[in-house]
Amino acid sequence: MIRWGILSTANIARTNVRSLSKCSNGTCHAVASRSKEKADKFAEEHKIPLAFGSYDELLDCQEIDAVYIPLPTSLHLEWVVKAACKHKHILLEKPVALTAADLVQMITACKKNKVLLVDAAMWKHGPRAQQLALAAKNSIGKVRRVRSHFNFAGTLDQAFIANDIRIKGDMDKLGCLGDLGWYTVGNTLNLLDYAVPTSVIGVPSLRHSESNNVIAAAAILKFDNGVIATMDCGFDSCLKQSICADGELGSVSVDDMVIPSSEEVVTYRITRKHDCTRGASDPFASSCFSETVTVQTPKAQQVLMFEDFNQAVHSGLTSNSDWHWIEKALTIQSVVDAIQTSCDSNSTEVPVVVPAMPTI
């Protein structure tokens, strides 16, 4: 049983403590806050055995095997390195870093100290993500376009605008790109077997008046095989969390890309053309067939994320496959970096460069 410590009492920590409570191979053993009073209250509420008034105290505790870090992104590099040096395995909230270069430093520290680092992108761990990728590869012909959207109307909530760390430049300068954009980019790459776009164009449509953080944006991702992906994300419009890949023979799509409408059963749609042989001579003549595919999920994707992590730790990190989650995260981070650079450079086209994974 992996014993977990939580470095924060933020709302997202509450969600993941509940997920940990449903794990078969891990348990929440400690929580830390900069306020001992807050840590004590959180521990009592969630029946956590230990509470600490500083993050360092938790990292020094010999009863902790792994830590979940949902701190502001600007603090990730510091606390991941500290946790790695204390030989704690790390689940890191996304966006995992302010830049891909920072993430490389984190991976290096973790590999040097023989601890696991995984991004807390829960959607990767549900069975639908793998099935979607296979459907895009095998069921709709050659993929030509991918469209993704993730938005919610945070701008209608004055408390959100005033207090959310994603708005504050000193806490998370990536704004909506590091949060909502992390999902749109990640899900897009999942449908394209994590091919790296050659270049991106980012278009910011709304910035915060004080921090200048991007709070709504769109982007175009160009791939060397001719595929084009488009995405938009923002805190300024009604909830939408969808993705669609269009192929030569059909399409595959999801309308609840990030937070499924059900924890037990999730779905996706495949639309196929019955007769594409008439092609350009009569493109509207072919009929369509749409199928809703049901995927049974043994547990919620957040719970599966922790169980996958715990299993990797139990295995002793004997396989390079234990690092595939963070390797994919490095690709996502690099694409987000390029979109951010484009947004800050008058929407110029920016090449995507993914650093090599450290080999220590």
Side-chain angles (χ1 to χ4, degrees):
M1 189 74 72
I2 300 299
R3 299 165 299 179
W4 283 82
I6 312 295
L7 265 64
S8 176
T9 55
N11 286 336
I12 195 167
R14 296 176 183 275
T15 299
N16 280 309
V17 165
R18 288 192 288 270
S19 298
L20 258 175
S21 70
K22 299 175 183 179
C23 275
S24 61
N25 55 2
T27 183
C28 188
H29 195 64
V31 63
S33 171
R34 291 171 296 179
S35 161
K36 183 64 162 61
E37 182 180 357
K38 285 185 178 180
D40 286 337
K41 182 178 179 181
F42 190 96
E44 181 180 4
E45 179 182 348
H46 296 281
K47 297 179 173 58
I48 300 171
L50 302 176
F52 298 100
S54 76
Y55 304 142
D56 284 308
E57 287 181 85
L58 187 150
L59 294 182
D60 285 333
C61 179
Q62 298 303 306
E63 298 178 32
I64 301 301
D65 305 305
V67 292
Y68 167 55
I69 302 180
L71 298 171
T73 313
S74 59
L75 300 177
H76 284 188
L77 177 58
E78 174 188 357
W79 287 102
V80 166
V81 172
K82 285 184 175 180
C85 290
K86 295 292 184 177
H87 302 287
K88 310 299 185 190
H89 302 284
I90 302 155
L91 179 67
L92 183 60
E93 194 53 59
K94 53 32 148 165
V96 290
L98 294 176
T99 66
D102 283 358
L103 179 53
V104 168
Q105 289 187 59
M106 297 181 206
I107 297 170
T108 299
C110 290
K111 285 198 167 188
K112 181 179 179 181
N113 288 282
K114 296 181 173 56
V115 296
L116 183 63
L117 176 64
V118 174
D119 63 312
M122 65 283 187
W123 63 269
K124 294 180 184 178
H125 300 266
R128 181 172 64 178
Q130 288 73 36
Q131 291 196 27
L132 270 175
L134 288 173
K137 183 177 182 179
N138 300 323
S139 301
I140 61 173
K142 186 176 181 180
V143 174
R144 304 305 305 165
R145 303 285 184 270
V146 180
R147 294 164 282 125
S148 61
H149 316 268
F150 194 11
N151 304 275
F152 67 86
T155 49
L156 296 179
D157 183 351
Q158 290 304 310
F160 174 86
I161 294 298
N163 302 315
D164 195 275
I165 64 171
R166 292 165 288 188
I167 304 298
K168 299 179 182 295
D170 59 336
M171 292 187 177
D172 187 351
K173 69 177 184 179
L174 295 175
C176 70
L177 294 173
D179 179 30
L180 310 182
W182 187 272
Y183 289 107
T184 54
V185 170
N187 278 273
T188 294
L189 298 185
N190 180 56
L191 295 187
L192 297 172
D193 199 24
Y194 280 86
V196 178
T198 55
S199 62
V200 302
I201 299 172
V203 182
S205 57
L206 187 63
R207 289 183 181 269
H208 189 261
S209 58
E210 295 180 9
S211 69
N212 204 39
N213 271 19
V214 175
I215 55 179
I220 300 171
L221 284 60
K222 298 182 178 181
F223 295 81
D224 61 7
N225 59 357
V227 173
I228 293 288
T230 59
M231 53 155 275
D232 65 80
C233 59
F235 305 133
D236 67 333
S237 61
C238 64
L239 178 63
K240 189 172 186 178
Q241 47 163 346
S242 63
I243 190 166
C244 179
D246 296 322
E248 294 173 329
L249 304 179
S251 64
V252 58
S253 61
V254 166
D255 290 329
D256 55 352
M257 174 179 72
V258 179
I259 304 171
S261 55
S262 168
E263 291 187 350
E264 291 80 25
V265 178
V266 293
T267 63
Y268 63 93
R269 287 191 308 280
I270 298 179
T271 301
R272 299 183 184 90
K273 296 287 188 181
H274 281 305
D275 179 15
C276 292
T277 58
R278 299 174 70 171
S281 64
D282 193 356
F284 300 103
S286 58
S287 58
C288 290
F289 171 75
S290 184
E291 174 189 7
T292 298
V293 181
T294 299
V295 182
Q296 299 291 332
T297 58
K299 297 180 181 179
Q301 58 187 8
Q302 293 95 327
V303 178
L304 295 174
M305 173 179 69
F306 279 103
E307 292 193 342
D308 284 347
F309 185 107
N310 295 337
Q311 182 57 45
V313 172
H314 278 304
S315 73
L317 309 184
T318 56
S319 171
N320 286 332
S321 64
D322 294 327
W323 293 95
H324 73 94
W325 293 301
I326 205 64
E327 185 171 11
K328 291 175 179 176
L330 182 58
T331 301
I332 296 170
Q333 181 77 51
S334 300
V335 176
V336 170
D337 285 1
I339 296 172
Q340 173 82 5
T341 299
S342 179
C343 285
D344 291 343
S345 305
N346 209 23
S347 298
T348 56
E349 189 168 343
V350 174
V352 177
V353 179
V354 182
M357 277 283 288
T359 57
I360 294 174

